[in-house]
Amino acid sequence: MKVKTILVSQPPPKTENSPYVELMEKQKVKIDFVPFIHVEGVSAKDVRAQKIDLNNYTAIILTSRNAVDHFFRIAEEMRFTVPDDMKYFCQSEAVAFYLQKYVVYRKRKIYVGKRTFPELAKIIKKYKEEKFLLPSSDKLKEIIPEVLNEINVNWNRAILFKTVVSDLSNLEDVFYDILVFFSPSGIDSLFKNFPNYKQNNTRIAVFGNSTVKAATKAGLKCSIQAPTPETPSMTMALEKYIIEANKR
């Protein structure tokens, strides 16, 4: 079946030169963006209930932009002045770059991993004298605590934000040729909104092994997967599939 319409379960891109815009223009497909999940901040009161005192930490482990935003939000709510000598360990360059929203980059001690958490852990391991805080959502990839415990550093997790299912009732009678998912939470949202969802002829695109597992467990057949050596990004995987499907 040919592909004409795609629903991406994320907010729309903020830049005009997004690869999705290019994909729409090149392949003449319609792409809609609807976040299936959204993030809500945890209150300072709830953070205190976790027995988290920001004064006790000398280094922050940041795995996402949300972690950056909510760490500085909570610091402000708790009237905590983040010291200039605080160390920041960022999982990727994108997270480190985003940190500039809150700190003067060249004046801070910022350490950057390549992409995955185990890569960042190799850097963290060199600073065992530090007391690390890991700001996170209520849902955390299992590999993160496993790796931190493995390298035997002094760390604590602070749940500063929660992943919440979005209301998708306006999509009840809308059908797309492809649904695109980037996390197990997106799959959860689909079935919480539509418990009787039937895939039928809809193709499912998934990013990452954990999303593949969640989709398969939910009984969905995945037609498009990324990243792969051939298609490292979702837009590349979609384009490859669309070219083949629309040829038939």
Side-chain angles (χ1 to χ4, degrees), residues 60 95 116 125:
I60 310 295
V95 174
T116 68
K125 192 177 179 180

Side-chain angles (χ1 to χ4, degrees), residues 4 9 15 35-36 46 54 68 78 85 92 100 105 107-108 110 116 125 141 150 162-165 167 177 189 221 234:
K4 293 179 181 177
S9 61
T15 56
F36 276 36
D46 287 341
L54 298 181
V68 175
M78 290 182 154
D85 61 353
S92 66
Q100 293 182 82
Y105 201 85
K107 292 185 177 179
R108 297 293 181 269
I110 298 168
T116 68
K125 192 177 179 180
K141 289 179 183 174
E150 234 172 67
K162 292 184 178 180
T163 305
V164 181
V165 168
D167 178 7
D177 297 320
S189 177
K221 181 188 172 189
M234 179 53 80

Side-chain angles (χ1 to χ4, degrees), residues 94-147:
V95 174
F97 184 76
Y98 189 71
L99 189 56
Q100 293 182 82
K101 183 177 173 183
Y102 298 96
V103 301
V104 181
Y105 201 85
R106 59 190 169 77
K107 292 185 177 179
R108 297 293 181 269
K109 294 174 181 176
I110 298 168
Y111 308 87
V112 187
K114 290 180 182 175
R115 190 175 61 87
T116 68
F117 194 79
E119 287 167 335
L120 176 62
K122 289 175 186 175
I123 303 169
I124 293 171
K125 192 177 179 180
K126 296 174 185 176
Y127 294 86
K128 289 199 171 178
E129 72 284 359
E130 304 296 338
K131 292 179 179 175
F132 293 92
L133 181 69
L134 173 74
S136 83
S137 111
D138 55 329
K139 294 180 180 176
L140 184 65
K141 289 179 183 174
E142 288 176 10
I143 193 171
I144 294 175
E146 282 173 7
V147 169

Side-chain angles (χ1 to χ4, degrees), residues 4 28 36 38-39 52 64-65 79 96 107 122 130 133 150 152 174 224 244 248:
K4 293 179 181 177
K28 304 293 185 282
F36 276 36
H38 61 277
V39 163
I52 297 294
S64 68
R65 294 178 187 185
R79 294 189 173 87
K107 292 185 177 179
K122 289 175 186 175
E130 304 296 338
L133 181 69
E150 234 172 67
N152 199 27
V174 184
I224 304 155
E244 289 172 4
R248 294 170 199 153

Side-chain angles (χ1 to χ4, degrees), residues 142-162:
E142 288 176 10
I143 193 171
I144 294 175
E146 282 173 7
V147 169
L148 288 173
N149 290 333
E150 234 172 67
I151 62 174
N152 199 27
V153 292
N154 184 349
W155 74 282
N156 280 105
R157 175 187 178 190
I159 297 173
L160 304 188
F161 54 102
K162 292 184 178 180

Side-chain angles (χ1 to χ4, degrees), residues 1 51-52 87 99 105 158 163 168 181 197 200 217 223:
M1 288 179 67
K51 297 184 179 172
I52 297 294
K87 293 181 177 69
L99 189 56
Y105 201 85
T163 305
L168 305 176
F181 294 96
Y197 177 77
N200 298 324
K217 190 177 176 185
S223 304

